[in-house]
Amino acid sequence: MKFSELIYPLSIENFFRDYWGKQHLHLSGKISLLETITYDDVIKEIISSDFFKMKYIRSSGYQKLNEVAQVMKKEDQRYIYSKQELMDSMNNGRSIIVNHLQFLLNQDGPFLNLLYDFASVVNCPKERFQLACFITPENGQAFLPHIDNNETFTIQIQGTKKWRLYHFDDNYDRGKNSVKNNVFTEINMQVGDFLYVPRFLIHEVIATDCKTYSASGIFKATTQGEEILRKLDESVTYLYGQRKQFKMSYNPFNDKNLSINLEDLYKIQQLKS
């Protein structure tokens, strides 16, 4: 499946204009999951892989200070290094996070085809994105309110999860796990649902009474500074070629083909200071 087919009748142009980096997009029952691996399958795949050695697996949990009020303590994440640690974590109700899941899946399967197509649409190179899965046992601990410095889409593969999305907040402190803003929407993710969450949007994932398994495409967005430096590198290469061709008569200030301008250079100076 192509990303354009997934979001139809919304166009790619409208997605970038109205959603990318601005607001979430939830699509119900858009994805056929017949060729994806199930909750139990992915556990077997993980156990038989080298993911323990490569620090690709973490568990996440938190402590409830007050069962009635559901007051939470700071989230606790830790690496998992063995099958026994994995099973113990799940038996204790902790969620499991597996990074770089794309290495376990069929490279020609529809799931990864969608991931790679989305990466192509948003112009994200391979080294800057990955597929991760999130596994939560029955009545387990999901994820407290937090923000991610990535653009993310999630596909619900098994079970259900409840997502709470909060308004953007420049003063939000993840370390304190406090959300001053009210929930602006609550989404019940069912099997086959797609959810895009822009970076820096505060979100929380609530566990349900069944084991759940979802997969997320995580795309590390290019920062303004990185984009400017990329343009600078292109321009230096271009300038070198122009000066070599036209000798000293070449005037870069009259050249409209440069990918960087004086305003960009000023921003670089500000970033350095």
Side-chain angles (χ1 to χ4, degrees), residues 85-159:
E85 287 183 37
L86 176 67
M87 304 314 295
D88 288 345
S89 293
M90 296 182 66
N91 290 336
N92 290 327
R94 296 173 65 85
S95 288
I96 306 300
I97 307 153
V98 183
N99 295 114
H100 304 290
L101 185 65
Q102 66 266 30
F103 298 135
L104 292 181
L105 295 181
N106 176 9
Q107 294 298 303
D108 295 323
F111 206 79
L112 284 187
N113 283 338
L114 175 61
L115 177 78
Y116 296 144
D117 185 65
F118 186 89
S120 174
V121 167
V122 301
N123 196 28
C124 183
K126 272 193 172 183
E127 65 272 13
R128 297 184 72 90
F129 72 83
Q130 61 151 316
L131 184 69
C133 75
F134 298 83
I135 301 168
T136 302
E138 298 93 330
N139 298 307
Q141 302 164 354
F143 301 93
L144 294 173
H146 65 281
I147 59 175
D148 295 315
N149 188 24
N150 306 292
E151 306 287 345
T152 305
F153 75 67
T154 294
I155 296 169
Q156 190 66 28
I157 297 175
Q158 187 172 339

Coordinates of all heavy atoms in Angstrom, one line a residue, residues 85-159:
E85 N 14.5 -11.8 31.3 CA 14.1 -10.4 31.7 C 12.9 -9.9 30.9 O 12.0 -9.2 31.4 CB 15.3 -9.4 31.3 CG 16.5 -9.5 32.3 CD 17.5 -8.5 32.0 OE1 17.2 -7.4 31.6 OE2 18.7 -8.9 32.1
L86 N 12.8 -10.4 29.6 CA 11.7 -10.0 28.8 C 10.4 -10.6 29.4 O 9.4 -9.9 29.5 CB 11.9 -10.5 27.4 CG 10.7 -10.3 26.4 CD1 10.5 -8.9 26.1 CD2 11.0 -11.1 25.1
M87 N 10.4 -11.9 29.7 CA 9.2 -12.5 30.3 C 8.9 -12.0 31.6 O 7.7 -11.7 31.9 CB 9.4 -14.0 30.3 CG 9.8 -14.7 29.0 SD 8.8 -14.1 27.6 CE 7.2 -14.7 28.0
D88 N 9.8 -11.7 32.5 CA 9.6 -11.1 33.8 C 8.9 -9.7 33.7 O 8.0 -9.4 34.4 CB 10.9 -11.0 34.6 CG 11.4 -12.3 35.1 OD1 10.6 -13.3 35.0 OD2 12.6 -12.4 35.5
S89 N 9.4 -8.9 32.7 CA 8.9 -7.6 32.5 C 7.4 -7.7 32.1 O 6.6 -6.9 32.6 CB 9.7 -6.8 31.5 OG 11.0 -6.6 31.9
M90 N 7.1 -8.6 31.2 CA 5.7 -8.7 30.8 C 4.8 -9.2 31.9 O 3.7 -8.8 32.0 CB 5.7 -9.6 29.5 CG 6.4 -9.0 28.3 SD 6.3 -10.0 26.8 CE 4.5 -9.9 26.5
N91 N 5.3 -10.2 32.6 CA 4.6 -10.7 33.8 C 4.3 -9.7 34.8 O 3.3 -9.8 35.6 CB 5.3 -11.9 34.4 CG 5.3 -13.2 33.5 OD1 4.4 -13.3 32.6 ND2 6.3 -14.0 33.6
N92 N 5.2 -8.7 34.9 CA 5.0 -7.6 35.8 C 4.2 -6.4 35.3 O 4.1 -5.3 35.9 CB 6.3 -7.1 36.3 CG 7.0 -8.1 37.2 OD1 6.4 -8.8 38.0 ND2 8.4 -8.1 37.2
G93 N 3.6 -6.6 34.1 CA 2.8 -5.6 33.5 C 3.5 -4.5 32.8 O 2.8 -3.5 32.4
R94 N 4.8 -4.7 32.5 CA 5.5 -3.6 31.9 C 5.3 -3.7 30.3 O 5.2 -4.8 29.8 CB 7.0 -3.7 32.2 CG 7.2 -3.4 33.7 CD 8.7 -3.7 34.0 NE 9.6 -2.7 33.4 CZ 9.9 -1.5 33.8 NH1 9.4 -1.1 35.0 NH2 10.7 -0.7 33.2
S95 N 5.3 -2.6 29.7 CA 5.3 -2.5 28.2 C 6.7 -2.8 27.6 O 7.7 -2.5 28.3 CB 4.8 -1.2 27.7 OG 3.4 -1.1 28.0
I96 N 6.7 -3.4 26.5 CA 7.9 -3.7 25.8 C 8.1 -2.9 24.5 O 7.1 -2.8 23.8 CB 8.0 -5.2 25.4 CG1 7.7 -6.1 26.6 CG2 9.3 -5.6 24.8 CD1 8.7 -5.9 27.8
I97 N 9.2 -2.3 24.3 CA 9.5 -1.5 23.2 C 10.6 -2.2 22.4 O 11.7 -2.4 22.9 CB 10.0 -0.1 23.6 CG1 8.9 0.6 24.5 CG2 10.2 0.8 22.3 CD1 9.5 1.6 25.4
V98 N 10.4 -2.5 21.1 CA 11.4 -3.1 20.3 C 11.7 -2.1 19.2 O 10.8 -1.8 18.3 CB 10.9 -4.5 19.7 CG1 12.0 -5.1 18.9 CG2 10.4 -5.4 20.9
N99 N 12.9 -1.7 19.1 CA 13.3 -0.8 18.0 C 13.9 -1.6 16.8 O 14.3 -2.7 17.0 CB 14.4 0.2 18.5 CG 13.9 1.1 19.6 OD1 14.3 1.1 20.8 ND2 13.0 2.0 19.2
H100 N 13.9 -0.9 15.7 CA 14.4 -1.5 14.4 C 13.7 -2.8 14.1 O 14.4 -3.7 13.6 CB 15.9 -1.6 14.5 CG 16.6 -0.4 14.9 ND1 16.8 0.7 14.0 CD2 17.2 0.0 16.0 CE1 17.4 1.7 14.6 NE2 17.7 1.3 15.8
L101 N 12.4 -2.8 14.2 CA 11.7 -4.0 13.9 C 11.8 -4.4 12.4 O 11.5 -5.5 12.0 CB 10.2 -3.8 14.3 CG 9.3 -5.0 14.1 CD1 9.7 -6.2 15.1 CD2 7.8 -4.6 14.4
Q102 N 12.1 -3.4 11.6 CA 12.2 -3.7 10.1 C 13.2 -4.8 9.8 O 13.1 -5.4 8.8 CB 12.6 -2.4 9.4 CG 14.0 -1.8 9.6 CD 14.0 -0.8 10.7 OE1 13.2 -0.8 11.6 NE2 14.9 0.1 10.6
F103 N 14.1 -5.0 10.7 CA 15.1 -6.1 10.4 C 14.5 -7.5 10.6 O 15.1 -8.5 10.3 CB 16.3 -5.9 11.3 CG 17.1 -4.6 11.1 CD1 17.5 -3.8 12.1 CD2 17.3 -4.2 9.8 CE1 18.2 -2.6 11.9 CE2 18.0 -3.0 9.6 CZ 18.4 -2.2 10.6
L104 N 13.3 -7.6 11.3 CA 12.7 -8.9 11.5 C 11.6 -9.2 10.5 O 11.1 -10.3 10.5 CB 12.1 -8.9 12.9 CG 13.1 -8.9 14.1 CD1 12.3 -9.0 15.4 CD2 14.1 -10.1 14.0
L105 N 11.2 -8.2 9.8 CA 10.0 -8.4 8.9 C 10.5 -8.7 7.4 O 11.6 -8.4 7.1 CB 9.2 -7.1 8.8 CG 8.5 -6.7 10.1 CD1 7.6 -5.4 9.9 CD2 7.6 -7.8 10.6
N106 N 9.6 -9.2 6.7 CA 9.8 -9.4 5.3 C 10.0 -8.1 4.5 O 9.1 -7.2 4.5 CB 8.6 -10.2 4.7 CG 8.7 -10.4 3.2 OD1 9.7 -10.2 2.6 ND2 7.6 -10.8 2.6
Q107 N 11.2 -7.9 3.9 CA 11.5 -6.7 3.3 C 10.6 -6.3 2.1 O 10.5 -5.2 1.7 CB 13.0 -6.7 2.9 CG 14.0 -6.8 4.0 CD 13.9 -5.6 4.9 OE1 14.0 -4.4 4.5 NE2 13.6 -5.8 6.2
D108 N 10.0 -7.3 1.5 CA 9.1 -7.1 0.4 C 7.6 -7.1 0.8 O 6.7 -7.0 0.0 CB 9.3 -8.1 -0.7 CG 10.7 -8.1 -1.3 OD1 11.2 -6.9 -1.4 OD2 11.2 -9.1 -1.6
G109 N 7.4 -7.1 2.1 CA 6.0 -7.2 2.6 C 5.3 -5.8 2.6 O 6.0 -4.8 2.5
P110 N 4.0 -5.8 2.6 CA 3.2 -4.5 2.5 C 3.5 -3.6 3.6 O 3.4 -2.4 3.5 CB 1.8 -5.0 2.4 CG 1.8 -6.4 3.1 CD 3.1 -7.0 2.7
F111 N 3.8 -4.1 4.8 CA 4.0 -3.3 6.0 C 5.2 -2.4 5.8 O 5.2 -1.2 6.0 CB 4.2 -4.2 7.2 CG 3.8 -3.5 8.5 CD1 2.4 -3.3 8.8 CD2 4.7 -3.0 9.3 CE1 2.1 -2.7 10.0 CE2 4.4 -2.3 10.5 CZ 3.0 -2.2 10.9
L112 N 6.3 -3.0 5.4 CA 7.5 -2.2 5.2 C 7.4 -1.4 3.9 O 8.0 -0.3 3.8 CB 8.8 -3.1 5.1 CG 9.3 -3.7 6.4 CD1 10.6 -4.4 6.3 CD2 9.4 -2.6 7.5
N113 N 6.7 -1.8 2.9 CA 6.5 -1.0 1.7 C 5.8 0.3 2.1 O 6.2 1.4 1.5 CB 5.6 -1.7 0.7 CG 6.4 -2.8 -0.1 OD1 7.7 -2.7 -0.1 ND2 5.8 -3.8 -0.6
L114 N 4.8 0.3 3.0 CA 4.2 1.5 3.4 C 5.2 2.4 4.2 O 5.2 3.6 4.0 CB 3.0 1.1 4.3 CG 2.3 2.3 5.0 CD1 1.7 3.3 3.9 CD2 1.2 1.9 5.9
L115 N 6.0 1.8 5.1 CA 7.0 2.5 5.8 C 8.0 3.3 4.9 O 8.2 4.5 5.0 CB 7.8 1.6 6.7 CG 8.9 2.2 7.6 CD1 8.3 3.0 8.7 CD2 9.9 1.2 8.0
Y116 N 8.5 2.5 3.9 CA 9.5 3.1 3.0 C 8.8 4.2 2.1 O 9.4 5.2 1.7 CB 10.1 2.0 2.1 CG 10.9 1.1 3.0 CD1 11.0 -0.3 2.6 CD2 11.7 1.5 4.1 CE1 11.8 -1.2 3.4 CE2 12.4 0.6 4.8 CZ 12.5 -0.7 4.5 OH 13.2 -1.6 5.2
D117 N 7.6 3.9 1.7 CA 6.9 4.9 0.9 C 6.6 6.2 1.6 O 6.8 7.3 1.1 CB 5.6 4.4 0.3 CG 4.9 5.3 -0.6 OD1 5.4 5.5 -1.7 OD2 3.8 5.8 -0.3
F118 N 6.2 6.1 2.9 CA 6.0 7.3 3.7 C 7.3 8.0 3.9 O 7.3 9.3 3.8 CB 5.5 6.8 5.1 CG 5.1 8.0 6.0 CD1 3.8 8.5 6.0 CD2 6.0 8.6 6.9 CE1 3.4 9.5 6.8 CE2 5.6 9.6 7.7 CZ 4.3 10.1 7.7
A119 N 8.4 7.3 4.1 CA 9.7 8.0 4.2 C 10.1 8.7 3.0 O 10.7 9.8 3.0 CB 10.8 6.9 4.6
S120 N 9.8 8.1 1.8 CA 10.0 8.8 0.6 C 9.2 10.0 0.4 O 9.7 11.1 0.0 CB 9.7 7.8 -0.6 OG 9.9 8.5 -1.8
V121 N 7.9 10.0 0.8 CA 7.0 11.1 0.7 C 7.5 12.3 1.5 O 7.5 13.4 1.1 CB 5.6 10.7 1.1 CG1 4.7 11.9 1.3 CG2 5.0 9.8 0.1
V122 N 8.0 12.0 2.7 CA 8.4 13.1 3.7 C 9.9 13.4 3.5 O 10.5 14.1 4.3 CB 8.1 12.7 5.1 CG1 6.6 12.5 5.3 CG2 8.9 11.5 5.6
N123 N 10.6 12.7 2.5 CA 12.0 13.0 2.2 C 12.9 12.7 3.4 O 13.8 13.5 3.8 CB 12.2 14.4 1.7 CG 13.5 14.6 1.0 OD1 14.0 13.7 0.4 ND2 14.0 15.8 1.1
C124 N 12.7 11.5 4.0 CA 13.5 11.1 5.2 C 14.4 10.0 4.8 O 14.0 8.9 4.4 CB 12.6 10.7 6.3 SG 13.4 10.2 7.8
P125 N 15.8 10.2 4.9 CA 16.7 9.1 4.5 C 16.6 7.9 5.4 O 16.2 8.0 6.6 CB 18.1 9.8 4.6 CG 17.9 11.0 5.5 CD 16.4 11.4 5.3
K126 N 17.1 6.8 5.0 CA 16.9 5.5 5.7 C 17.6 5.6 7.1 O 17.1 5.0 8.1 CB 17.5 4.3 4.9 CG 16.5 3.7 4.0 CD 17.1 2.3 3.5 CE 16.0 1.6 2.7 NZ 16.4 0.3 2.3
E127 N 18.7 6.2 7.2 CA 19.4 6.3 8.5 C 18.6 7.1 9.6 O 19.0 7.1 10.7 CB 20.8 6.8 8.3 CG 20.9 8.2 7.9 CD 21.0 8.4 6.4 OE1 20.6 7.4 5.7 OE2 21.3 9.5 5.9
R128 N 17.6 7.8 9.1 CA 16.9 8.7 10.1 C 15.5 8.2 10.4 O 14.7 8.9 11.0 CB 16.8 10.1 9.5 CG 18.1 10.8 9.3 CD 17.9 12.2 8.8 NE 17.4 13.0 9.9 CZ 18.2 13.7 10.7 NH1 19.5 13.6 10.6 NH2 17.7 14.5 11.6
F129 N 15.1 6.9 10.0 CA 13.8 6.4 10.4 C 13.9 4.9 10.8 O 14.9 4.3 10.4 CB 12.8 6.6 9.3 CG 12.9 5.8 8.1 CD1 12.4 4.5 8.1 CD2 13.5 6.3 7.0 CE1 12.5 3.7 6.9 CE2 13.6 5.5 5.8 CZ 13.1 4.2 5.8
Q130 N 13.0 4.4 11.5 CA 12.9 3.0 11.9 C 11.5 2.6 12.2 O 10.6 3.5 12.3 CB 13.8 2.8 13.2 CG 13.2 3.6 14.3 CD 13.5 2.9 15.7 OE1 13.3 1.7 15.8 NE2 14.0 3.7 16.6
L131 N 11.3 1.3 12.3 CA 10.0 0.8 12.7 C 10.2 0.2 14.1 O 11.1 -0.6 14.3 CB 9.6 -0.3 11.7 CG 8.2 -0.9 11.9 CD1 7.1 0.1 11.6 CD2 8.0 -2.2 11.1
A132 N 9.3 0.6 15.0 CA 9.4 0.1 16.3 C 8.0 -0.5 16.7 O 7.0 -0.2 16.1 CB 9.7 1.2 17.3
C133 N 8.0 -1.5 17.6 CA 6.8 -2.0 18.1 C 6.6 -1.9 19.6 O 7.6 -1.8 20.3 CB 6.6 -3.5 17.7 SG 7.5 -4.7 18.6
F134 N 5.4 -1.8 20.0 CA 5.0 -1.5 21.4 C 4.1 -2.6 21.8 O 3.0 -2.7 21.3 CB 4.4 -0.1 21.5 CG 5.3 1.0 21.1 CD1 5.5 1.4 19.8 CD2 6.1 1.6 22.1 CE1 6.3 2.4 19.4 CE2 7.0 2.6 21.7 CZ 7.1 3.0 20.4
I135 N 4.5 -3.4 22.8 CA 3.7 -4.5 23.3 C 3.3 -4.3 24.7 O 4.2 -4.0 25.6 CB 4.6 -5.8 23.2 CG1 5.0 -6.0 21.7 CG2 3.8 -7.0 23.7 CD1 6.1 -7.1 21.6
T136 N 2.0 -4.4 25.0 CA 1.5 -4.2 26.4 C 0.7 -5.4 26.8 O -0.3 -5.7 26.1 CB 0.7 -2.9 26.5 OG1 1.5 -1.8 26.1 CG2 0.3 -2.7 27.9
P137 N 1.0 -6.0 27.9 CA 0.2 -7.2 28.3 C -1.2 -6.7 28.8 O -1.5 -5.5 29.0 CB 1.0 -7.8 29.5 CG 2.2 -7.0 29.6 CD 2.1 -5.8 28.7
E138 N -2.1 -7.7 29.1 CA -3.4 -7.4 29.6 C -3.3 -6.6 30.9 O -2.5 -6.9 31.8 CB -4.2 -8.7 29.9 CG -4.4 -9.6 28.8 CD -3.4 -10.7 28.6 OE1 -2.2 -10.4 28.9 OE2 -3.7 -11.7 28.0
N139 N -4.1 -5.5 30.9 CA -4.1 -4.6 32.0 C -2.7 -4.1 32.4 O -2.4 -3.8 33.6 CB -4.7 -5.3 33.3 CG -6.2 -5.6 33.0 OD1 -7.0 -4.8 32.6 ND2 -6.5 -6.9 33.2
G140 N -1.8 -4.0 31.4 CA -0.4 -3.6 31.7 C -0.3 -2.1 31.8 O -1.3 -1.3 31.7
Q141 N 0.9 -1.6 31.9 CA 1.2 -0.2 32.0 C 1.6 0.3 30.6 O 2.6 -0.3 30.1 CB 2.4 0.0 33.0 CG 2.0 -0.6 34.4 CD 3.3 -0.7 35.3 OE1 4.4 -0.5 34.8 NE2 3.1 -1.0 36.5
A142 N 1.0 1.3 30.2 CA 1.3 1.8 28.8 C 2.3 2.9 29.0 O 3.3 2.8 29.7 CB 0.1 2.2 28.1
F143 N 2.0 4.1 28.5 CA 3.0 5.2 28.5 C 2.4 6.5 29.0 O 1.3 6.9 28.5 CB 3.5 5.4 27.1 CG 4.2 4.2 26.5 CD1 3.5 3.3 25.8 CD2 5.5 3.9 26.9 CE1 4.1 2.1 25.3 CE2 6.1 2.7 26.4 CZ 5.4 1.8 25.6
L144 N 3.0 7.1 30.0 CA 2.6 8.3 30.6 C 2.7 9.5 29.6 O 3.3 9.3 28.5 CB 3.5 8.7 31.8 CG 3.4 7.7 33.0 CD1 4.5 8.1 34.0 CD2 2.0 7.7 33.6
P145 N 2.0 10.6 29.9 CA 2.1 11.8 28.9 C 3.6 12.1 28.6 O 4.4 12.2 29.5 CB 1.4 12.9 29.7 CG 0.5 12.2 30.6 CD 1.2 10.9 31.0
H146 N 3.9 12.3 27.4 CA 5.2 12.6 27.0 C 5.2 13.3 25.6 O 4.2 13.3 24.9 CB 6.1 11.4 27.0 CG 5.7 10.4 25.9 ND1 4.7 9.5 26.1 CD2 6.2 10.1 24.7 CE1 4.6 8.7 25.1 NE2 5.5 9.0 24.2
I147 N 6.3 13.8 25.2 CA 6.5 14.3 23.8 C 7.7 13.6 23.2 O 8.6 13.1 23.8 CB 6.8 15.8 23.8 CG1 8.0 16.2 24.6 CG2 5.6 16.6 24.2 CD1 8.4 17.6 24.5
D148 N 7.6 13.5 21.8 CA 8.7 12.8 21.1 C 9.3 13.9 20.1 O 8.5 14.6 19.5 CB 8.2 11.6 20.3 CG 7.7 10.5 21.2 OD1 8.5 10.2 22.2 OD2 6.7 10.0 20.9
N149 N 10.6 13.8 19.9 CA 11.2 14.7 19.0 C 11.3 14.0 17.6 O 12.3 14.1 16.9 CB 12.6 15.1 19.5 CG 13.3 16.2 18.6 OD1 12.6 16.9 18.0 ND2 14.6 16.2 18.6
N150 N 10.2 13.4 17.3 CA 10.1 12.7 16.0 C 8.7 12.8 15.4 O 7.8 13.0 16.2 CB 10.4 11.2 16.2 CG 11.7 10.9 16.9 OD1 12.8 11.1 16.3 ND2 11.7 10.4 18.1
E151 N 8.6 12.7 14.1 CA 7.3 12.6 13.5 C 7.0 11.1 13.5 O 7.9 10.2 13.2 CB 7.3 13.1 12.0 CG 7.8 14.5 11.9 CD 6.9 15.5 12.3 OE1 5.7 15.2 12.5 OE2 7.3 16.7 12.5
T152 N 5.8 10.7 13.9 CA 5.5 9.3 14.2 C 4.1 8.9 13.6 O 3.2 9.7 13.7 CB 5.4 9.0 15.7 OG1 6.7 9.4 16.3 CG2 5.2 7.5 15.9
F153 N 4.1 7.7 13.0 CA 2.8 7.2 12.7 C 2.7 5.8 13.4 O 3.7 5.1 13.5 CB 2.5 7.1 11.2 CG 3.1 6.0 10.4 CD1 2.9 4.6 10.6 CD2 4.1 6.3 9.4 CE1 3.5 3.7 9.9 CE2 4.7 5.3 8.7 CZ 4.4 4.0 8.9
T154 N 1.5 5.4 13.8 CA 1.2 4.2 14.5 C 0.1 3.4 13.8 O -0.9 4.0 13.4 CB 0.9 4.5 16.0 OG1 2.0 5.0 16.6 CG2 0.5 3.2 16.7
I155 N 0.3 2.1 13.7 CA -0.7 1.2 13.2 C -1.0 0.2 14.3 O -0.1 -0.5 14.9 CB -0.2 0.5 11.9 CG1 0.1 1.5 10.8 CG2 -1.2 -0.6 11.5 CD1 0.8 0.9 9.6
Q156 N -2.3 0.1 14.6 CA -2.7 -0.9 15.6 C -2.9 -2.3 15.0 O -3.7 -2.4 14.0 CB -4.1 -0.4 16.3 CG -4.5 -1.2 17.5 CD -3.6 -1.0 18.7 OE1 -2.9 0.0 18.8 NE2 -3.4 -2.1 19.5
I157 N -2.1 -3.2 15.5 CA -2.1 -4.6 14.9 C -2.9 -5.6 15.6 O -3.6 -6.4 15.0 CB -0.6 -5.1 14.8 CG1 0.2 -4.1 13.9 CG2 -0.6 -6.5 14.2 CD1 1.6 -4.4 13.8
Q158 N -2.9 -5.5 17.0 CA -3.7 -6.5 17.8 C -4.2 -5.8 19.0 O -3.5 -5.0 19.6 CB -2.8 -7.7 18.1 CG -3.5 -8.8 18.8 CD -2.6 -10.0 18.9 OE1 -1.6 -10.2 18.2 NE2 -2.9 -10.9 19.9
G159 N -5.4 -6.1 19.4 CA -6.0 -5.5 20.6 C -6.3 -4.1 20.4 O -6.4 -3.6 19.2

